[in-house]
Amino acid sequence: MNPEPNQPRTANRQESGDLPAIEEHDLPPGRHQFHKERLMNRIHEDRIAAARPARNPFLRKAILLPAATALAGALAVGALVVLPGGANGTDDRATGPVLTTTIGTVNEHGAPGLLDRISLAAAEVDAPKGRAGQYIYIETRAAGTHVKTVGDKSTLVSQPLHTRQTWRSPDGLKGWLIEPGNTGPEGITLEGLDEQGNIPEPHLGAPSHDYLAALPTDPDALLRKIYKETEGQGNGKDQQAFTTIGDLLVESWPSPELTAALYKAAAKIPGVVTVDSATDAAGRKGVAVARLDEVGGQRTEWIFDTRTYAFLGERTVQVKGDAGDGGLIKPGTVVHTAAVMVRAFVDDVKVTP
């Protein structure tokens, strides 16, 4: 069952134009999530410790799950998390029916052609423009599935579909997060020093808008940089490179030139395929570019509109073998799903377009 939002609203997304609005990922053994976003470098440090890819500062953070227990699979912006009962970051609302989906058919040779068309469409989008002092606002719809353990009993539950909102200054030093289950109604600050008391330095796992503007837009140079900076993270360099690009697509706002380069770089990663059908967290159907993590048996799918090729969101689906405590995560389980609904410049935190 794919999550379907009630009464979608028009999204003001720069990449795809008006779209129906609204709306952590398996760190396959050892990788950390969108998940479990931390305050900038904190997220980065915790994920490195988990031998998991450090993820974006825009990513969910406030409450980082213990790395050793985190398993993430991608759902647009999210991650699959396996937590012991009572661990920080558990969502008491996660009691709903397990999210499942039909596993789409793979075309092992379709990715280069599709990504070429997607990159051409991305390059034609108007570049986002902001004024000094403004913030980058990103709104997603997300949901996820995880193993919940109470005492000696483990069950598979899904987090309700919910809206996640982040605000970030272009330099990445100021920000705010509001997300049911991870923050209170008023949200939490994403501003602060790293664990050594220093000002966090942006990097691929926790980029600022200004940092993205300085990345190379030559696909080969960009992919070399991604491989170099993520070396030793995740379940192999190719899977980690695919994960890193997916995080940038969901939790940041790259320029049209960089977005096109990211798609072209992804086409050069071994094992990237297309999937004939996928549905994002907002219920929008599309075609997907995907890669299977052989370690955890979970496939991360980037979902695109079949007509405009606009990026809609990302999800992670268990497609091979069982995962999680007791093998509770069966093929067809949606581990995490996220749909990008709005990306815009706004004048302050807590201000929406």
Side-chain angles (χ1 to χ4, degrees):
M1 167 182 80
N2 285 304
E4 298 285 346
N6 294 324
Q7 310 203 347
R9 62 178 171 68
T10 299
N12 185 15
R13 289 184 67 244
Q14 182 75 22
E15 283 186 10
S16 59
D18 291 342
L19 290 173
I22 296 204
E23 191 273 296
E24 182 158 257
H25 164 123
D26 171 68
L27 303 180
R31 154 199 175 175
H32 186 86
Q33 136 184 350
F34 156 106
H35 326 318
K36 298 329 172 181
E37 280 85 3
R38 42 124 216 211
L39 302 179
M40 261 206 100
N41 247 32
R42 285 192 160 178
I43 291 184
H44 181 60
E45 296 302 328
D46 287 333
R47 290 170 185 179
I48 292 290
R52 185 76 199 129
R55 305 190 77 132
N56 192 319
F58 289 49
L59 296 182
R60 316 185 161 175
K61 147 63 191 136
I63 303 164
L64 266 190
L65 302 181
T69 64
L71 240 201
L75 283 196
V77 168
L80 160 66
V81 180
V82 180
L83 298 173
N88 289 339
T90 53
D91 185 352
D92 291 338
R93 302 171 311 135
T95 57
V98 175
L99 301 175
T100 61
T101 188
T102 299
I103 297 176
T105 302
V106 165
N107 179 347
E108 296 182 355
H109 307 291
L114 178 59
L115 282 168
D116 185 60
R117 295 191 294 275
I118 290 170
S119 65
L120 289 173
E124 294 177 354
V125 174
D126 291 336
K129 296 179 178 63
R131 301 188 305 274
Q134 287 193 306
Y135 288 75
I136 295 92
Y137 172 75
I138 299 180
E139 177 181 317
T140 61
R141 291 280 280 172
T145 300
H146 65 266
V147 175
K148 181 177 183 178
T149 300
V150 178
D152 60 356
K153 183 178 181 180
S154 296
T155 56
L156 194 63
V157 297
S158 288
Q159 180 187 42
L161 186 67
H162 62 278
T163 298
R164 165 183 165 81
Q165 299 168 287
T166 62
W167 292 260
R168 276 286 185 184
S169 60
D171 61 10
L173 298 181
K174 298 179 181 179
W176 199 263
L177 167 68
I178 298 178
E179 181 173 22
N182 278 342
T183 75
E186 294 301 312
I188 60 169
T189 182
L190 296 179
E191 180 178 353
L193 303 178
D194 64 20
E195 307 225 341
Q196 286 72 46
N198 301 316
I199 296 175
E201 291 290 334
H203 50 79
L204 279 174
S208 66
H209 196 70
D210 293 343
Y211 173 88
L212 293 177
L215 289 178
T217 54
D218 174 77
D220 292 311
L222 181 59
L223 187 57
R224 285 195 298 271
K225 181 177 181 62
I226 292 171
Y227 277 137
K228 181 178 179 179
E229 291 201 14
T230 62
E231 184 177 1
Q233 299 176 22
N235 294 324
K237 69 172 189 176
D238 294 327
Q239 183 62 31
Q240 183 55 46
F242 189 81
T243 295
T244 298
I245 293 174
D247 289 347
L248 294 177
L249 296 174
V250 173
E251 285 292 331
S252 62
W253 199 7
S255 68
E257 296 79 11
L258 179 57
T259 301
L262 288 169
Y263 292 139
K264 291 179 179 179
K268 300 174 182 292
I269 299 174
V272 175
V273 301
T274 60
V275 179
D276 65 342
S277 179
T279 304
D280 74 3
R284 300 174 298 195
K285 296 184 182 299
V287 64
V289 172
R291 194 177 193 283
L292 174 66
D293 185 337
E294 295 287 354
V295 176
Q298 294 177 358
R299 188 170 70 201
T300 298
E301 302 173 347
W302 304 340
I303 305 170
F304 298 88
D305 184 277
T306 55
R307 181 178 60 85
T308 66
Y309 297 123
F311 178 74
L312 302 179
E314 175 189 67
R315 72 178 185 179
T316 295
V317 180
Q318 187 75 31
V319 299
K320 184 178 178 181
D322 301 332
D325 187 20
L328 294 175
I329 302 171
K330 305 294 184 181
T333 301
V334 176
V335 174
H336 181 82
T337 183
V340 179
M341 305 313 301
V342 181
R343 285 191 277 203
F345 281 97
V346 295
D347 292 335
D348 204 350
V349 297
K350 301 185 183 180
V351 172
T352 58

